[in-house]
Amino acid sequence: MKVGQKIRLVRRHRHLTQRELGDRLGLGEGGANRVAQYEMGYRVPKDELLRKIADVLDVPVENFFLNDDYIPDILRIMFWFDWEHPNVFRLTNTTENTESQQSENDNIDVKLSGNAIVKMVQQDIRPATVLWSDQYGVDAYLREWSIRKQELATQEITQEEYLEWLLQWPESSDLAGLREPRRQWRKSEKAEE
């Protein structure tokens, strides 16, 4: 998603008009027009203004600096992170093997079963490629993401709540239920239970 698209998404999520955002940014009489130009991609705000936009919209500025326009961008980030930190991520393809083995140091190596499948085209169903981490913090963040996606799919949380969680992450993280988030993101009564 391009920077302008993110600005528009967050502005709308905050229920602001382009004029209101322009006013809060101190852009003057033509502020709404400038915000529109940023959102349409005709202009790109300079870093200092992006920081101010993030502050006004109450989101971490990193949301606007992340280069995530294409899948290769995301994968490239992961590849380079893995190069520098080779023991954080693990990858495997699921198989039909459901055996587990206990190693000499009493750790149990659980082999993934073939319950995760990827449907590429109508007749092409394959076992999934799985990314996970042995590092506790990374695993907890991935588990939490999975929980949020499931909550969204089952309508336990709204799309607006999911977006707020995403925008405020990692401050909104509860480490998959292990702590209170530093920043509340739930709007529903379920958050108060």
Side-chain angles (χ1 to χ4, degrees), residues 36-169:
Q37 290 174 347
Y38 296 144
E39 291 181 357
M40 297 298 291
Y42 297 137
R43 295 177 73 175
V44 178
K46 293 184 177 166
D47 289 358
E48 184 178 323
L49 182 56
L50 267 180
R51 291 180 203 291
K52 192 171 183 181
I53 291 170
D55 186 51
V56 167
L57 294 175
D58 191 28
V59 296
V61 71
E62 293 82 9
N63 285 306
F64 297 124
F65 286 115
L66 184 62
N67 185 14
D68 61 355
D69 293 336
Y70 304 101
I71 293 293
D73 295 333
I74 296 164
L75 290 172
R76 190 172 294 108
I77 290 168
M78 294 172 72
F79 295 159
W80 282 110
F81 184 88
D82 183 61
W83 178 262
E84 290 184 41
H85 310 279
N87 297 317
V88 173
F89 290 124
R90 304 294 259 337
L91 281 169
T92 193
N93 294 316
T94 58
T95 66
E96 295 302 320
N97 188 343
T98 59
E99 297 175 19
S100 297
Q101 297 177 346
Q102 190 161 359
S103 64
E104 59 249 14
N105 61 0
D106 289 330
N107 288 334
I108 297 174
D109 293 331
V110 177
K111 295 191 182 217
L112 298 172
S113 67
N115 61 348
I117 59 170
V118 177
K119 190 172 187 178
M120 304 300 281
V121 291
Q122 288 189 347
Q123 269 74 20
D124 188 12
I125 298 175
R126 303 177 186 176
T129 301
V130 179
L131 171 71
W132 82 97
S133 178
D134 289 336
Q135 292 201 351
Y136 181 76
V138 175
D139 182 65
Y141 284 137
L142 291 172
R143 187 176 315 114
E144 179 181 9
W145 184 22
S146 175
I147 290 167
R148 295 292 97 79
K149 296 278 287 180
Q150 184 176 5
E151 289 172 338
L152 179 61
T154 60
Q155 298 179 345
E156 292 176 58
I157 62 174
T158 64
Q159 189 167 4
E160 185 175 284
E161 288 173 313
Y162 180 78
L163 179 58
E164 189 64 28
W165 171 79
L166 175 85
L167 291 170
Q168 298 303 333
W169 192 90

